[in-house]
Amino acid sequence: MQAKHSISRRHFLRGQLRGHIKETRPPWALPENDFINTCTGCNECIDKCPERIIVKGEGGFPTVNFDFGACTFCQDCVAACDEAALSITDAGQAPWNLTANITPDCISLHGVACSSCADSCEEEAISFRHQIGGISQPEIKTGLCTGCGACTATCPVDAIKISEKTVCEEYAYDHN
Ligand code: SF4
Ligand code: SF4
Ligand code: SF4
């Protein structure tokens, strides 16, 4: 009965994937199709994350919600995953392919001084470009950004989104 349940859930999720609904998996997750086929939805990674940023997503699979905090890359979720749906196969393996992006809602782009995101970024991946008139506008240095999400919670207008790096952004990160 359990297996039947599990299979129908996987079919449902494959349908979701074909519909391009994509969630942010915990760091060091297998590629999405392999992840869906490997993760049992046991909740161990959710329970072991000290930052409490992993929640149950579509189909009961774990997903990261940066509204709750940032990833410290502590690897506790990886250690908790007996199925190896989260796994580190070589020492230099990147945790994921994410970067922060500043959206047009940023109040600095509209003449209001703000530097909350830069102040929260330990990687110093956010710099400010000075504009005529004295207001500065934020820019993400993709080569430094780890996609940790620390900047998102501090933005007063929810103007920072964490998303997959483009090919150019990936190149910048790899050659930093
Ligand atoms: S690496 Fe640590 S902080 Fe990041 S999701 Fe896993 S358990 Fe949570
Ligand atoms: S996601 Fe993390 S590393 Fe990237 S800009 Fe935000 S705080 Fe800095
Ligand atoms: S914290 Fe938000 S509003 Fe402030 S500069 Fe950064 S992106 Fe813009």
Side-chain angles (χ1 to χ4, degrees), residues 29-86:
L30 295 176
E32 184 66 7
N33 277 331
D34 295 336
F35 181 83
I36 294 299
N37 284 319
T38 306
C39 172
T40 59
C42 69
N43 287 351
E44 283 298 314
C45 56
I46 295 175
D47 294 341
K48 296 289 170 19
C49 175
E51 307 303 320
R52 314 303 298 164
I53 62 171
I54 309 178
V55 298
K56 258 193 187 304
E58 288 282 350
F61 293 103
T63 185
V64 170
N65 187 330
F66 293 111
D67 291 342
F68 299 140
C71 180
T72 61
F73 304 110
C74 68
Q75 302 182 5
D76 286 3
C77 51
V78 178
C81 182
D82 287 341
E83 305 298 328
L86 311 176

Side-chain angles (χ1 to χ4, degrees), residues 99-110 114-118 125-129 136-142 145 151-152 155 157-163 169:
T99 189
N101 290 287
I102 308 237
T103 71
D105 290 337
C106 167
I107 54 178
S108 281
L109 303 180
H110 303 285
C114 175
S115 63
S116 299
C117 52
I126 303 178
S127 60
F128 280 82
R129 186 165 32 93
S136 300
Q137 297 187 345
E139 286 180 335
I140 306 279
K141 292 181 203 149
T142 310
C145 177
C151 53
T152 58
C155 177
V157 291
D158 195 23
I160 304 180
K161 302 297 173 209
I162 305 290
S163 56
E169 288 170 339

